[in-house]
Amino acid sequence: MTTLPWLHPDRVAQLERALRERILILDGAMGTMLQGHALDEAGFRGERFTHGHDSQHDHAHPGGCDLKGNNDLLTLTRPELIRGVHEAYLAAGADLVETNTFNSTRISQADYHLQHLAYELNREGARLARLACDAFTAKTPDRPRFAIGVLGPTSRTASLSPDVNDPGFRNVTFEELAANYAESAAGLVDGGADVVMVETIFDTLNAKAALFALSELFRQRGARVPVMISGTITDRSGRTLSGQTAEAFYYSVSHARPLAVGLNCALGAADLRPHVQTLADIADCYVSTHPNAGLPNAFAEYDETPAQMAAVIGGFARDGLLNLVGGCCGTTPAHIAAIAEAVRGCAPRRLPGAVQVAA
């Protein structure tokens, strides 16, 4: 993956320059912001899906479908809302915004019988993020903004059985995952993503399928974009769902020579601290984190205020653990603004020795 030229060398040079100069700010939660609009079924469907299925595509099953909750579909039905979220985070201080494509794989969209939209959702998701970034970059050319194309974990796991009575059973194969990721990644790249991030990784085998798909896509295109990798420690045991510690996770994916490796979701910043410290100690690439706004309460809501979250993350920065930081579930532009202020002036974590991302 590292022997190919960059698809957009000027953008990569700008990103690497910014990473050397300061801690960069990621955006916060897309879902949290969209939930604030309290959309009903019609709000999700828009005109194209008014009958519960895609009017531009042959409908393969009878009747309509419930599309409420399919946040990724809003990229097509309510693009102004998605771009508005991107712009709110950019205005709050984000240097990089993530596409609204967390569930834009065939596997995940099959829950809504919309698997045929996978490529389109990713392409349009990247296009919206690119437009928002370009608009803000035009205002301050000395501070370019970057679009991160997101590949989520899918709703299946290649390492574990979904049937407690049959531990050897799997409901997805490595090849199926790789094919899903390849299609989605092609859309992200075609839509203008500066970086592709494999994120919220609970199963490293899923991540390996994504990384394999990216390597094949780049080989076919004859050029590559930087790759970020972000795992999730699922609880206070300090391990991913598939059983790895942060250290084991890093060594399992480091062969991909990522631009950055990090952790996001599941835990709040305070609980993630020791695991981010581990990555900061061993990684020969940049380190990122975008934690939740604390742990969810009894109502599955997040109570950590912007000031509380920023105070913890400010400690990360002062101790030299970070290169990129933002927020995951429960975070808002107010959280991102507070985090940006908390890390302002803190030196970014230095890469060990002279190791840099291959040019």
Side-chain angles (χ1 to χ4, degrees):
M1 197 184 294
T2 58
T3 59
L4 295 169
W6 296 119
L7 181 62
H8 304 293
D10 290 344
R11 286 194 223 164
V12 175
Q14 289 179 328
L15 177 55
E16 290 187 318
R17 186 180 308 115
L19 281 164
R20 289 191 295 269
E21 293 173 352
R22 59 193 173 85
I23 296 172
L24 298 189
I25 306 301
L26 301 169
D27 60 359
M30 174 65 72
T32 298
M33 295 293 286
L34 294 177
Q35 288 166 13
H37 291 284
L39 298 176
D40 58 11
E41 180 69 23
F44 275 87
R45 290 184 178 188
E47 293 185 8
R48 177 172 166 182
F49 303 88
T50 188
H51 299 298
H53 59 266
D54 187 355
S55 62
Q56 298 180 17
H57 184 81
D58 290 337
H59 199 47
H61 64 98
C65 300
D66 292 332
L67 302 183
K68 183 178 178 180
N70 187 359
N71 286 344
D72 293 35
L73 186 63
L74 297 174
T75 294
L76 304 181
T77 60
R78 300 294 299 274
E80 75 284 358
L81 293 186
I82 304 306
R83 182 164 176 180
V85 173
H86 291 323
E87 291 175 344
Y89 282 122
L90 290 165
D95 297 292
L96 307 98
V97 295
E98 301 170 57
T99 56
N100 180 42
T101 55
F102 188 81
N103 289 306
S104 294
T105 54
R106 283 183 175 261
I107 287 173
S108 295
Q109 285 299 310
D111 293 343
Y112 300 95
H113 301 280
L114 295 177
Q115 53 266 46
H116 65 282
L117 294 177
Y119 173 83
E120 183 181 1
L121 287 170
N122 284 278
R123 185 194 66 210
E124 290 305 297
R127 188 182 67 83
L128 290 173
R130 170 89 273 131
L131 287 171
C133 288
D134 288 348
F136 273 75
T137 299
K139 297 176 185 177
T140 54
D142 59 328
R143 187 186 165 193
R145 299 341 192 268
F146 304 95
I148 298 178
V150 168
L151 292 176
T154 82
S155 54
R156 299 186 181 182
T157 170
S159 292
L160 303 172
S161 172
D163 184 354
V164 296
N165 296 312
D166 186 359
F169 174 69
R170 299 292 183 271
N171 61 1
V172 71
T173 66
F174 183 94
E175 290 77 16
E176 289 168 340
L177 286 167
N180 270 252
Y181 283 126
E183 179 181 29
S184 297
L188 293 172
V189 172
D190 291 344
D194 294 303
V195 178
V196 173
M197 177 162 64
V198 184
E199 76 151 321
T200 320
I201 299 162
F202 56 80
D203 181 348
T204 307
L205 189 55
N206 284 38
K208 285 179 174 288
L211 296 172
F212 171 76
L214 286 168
S215 68
E216 287 298 291
L217 175 66
F218 297 161
R219 182 183 60 80
Q220 292 165 10
R221 300 283 179 99
R224 63 193 168 107
V225 299
V227 173
M228 294 175 62
I229 301 172
S230 186
T232 185
I233 302 296
T234 52
D235 56 37
R236 286 171 168 159
S237 70
R239 294 178 180 270
T240 65
L241 187 65
S242 55
Q244 287 188 310
T245 62
E247 182 176 13
F249 170 71
Y250 169 73
Y251 286 119
S252 294
V253 298
S254 60
H255 66 279
R257 304 296 296 163
L259 173 75
V261 65
L263 297 169
N264 73 286
C265 202
L267 302 175
D271 289 314
L272 267 184
R273 164 83 192 221
H275 312 301
V276 174
Q277 175 80 61
T278 295
L279 293 180
D281 289 343
I282 64 175
D284 63 0
C285 60
Y286 296 108
V287 169
S288 71
T289 189
H290 48 299
N292 289 350
L295 294 171
N297 60 28
F299 302 99
E301 297 174 345
Y302 297 85
D303 298 324
E304 200 162 274
T305 67
Q308 291 169 333
M309 189 171 182
V312 176
I313 287 178
F316 285 32
R318 290 188 296 273
D319 290 341
L321 307 184
L322 297 176
N323 300 106
L324 305 102
V325 64
C328 202
C329 302
T331 58
T332 65
H335 288 84
I336 298 308
I339 290 169
E341 183 61 32
V343 305
R344 192 185 313 278
C346 295
R349 169 184 169 272
R350 296 184 63 181
L351 295 180
V355 177
Q356 297 285 343
V357 176

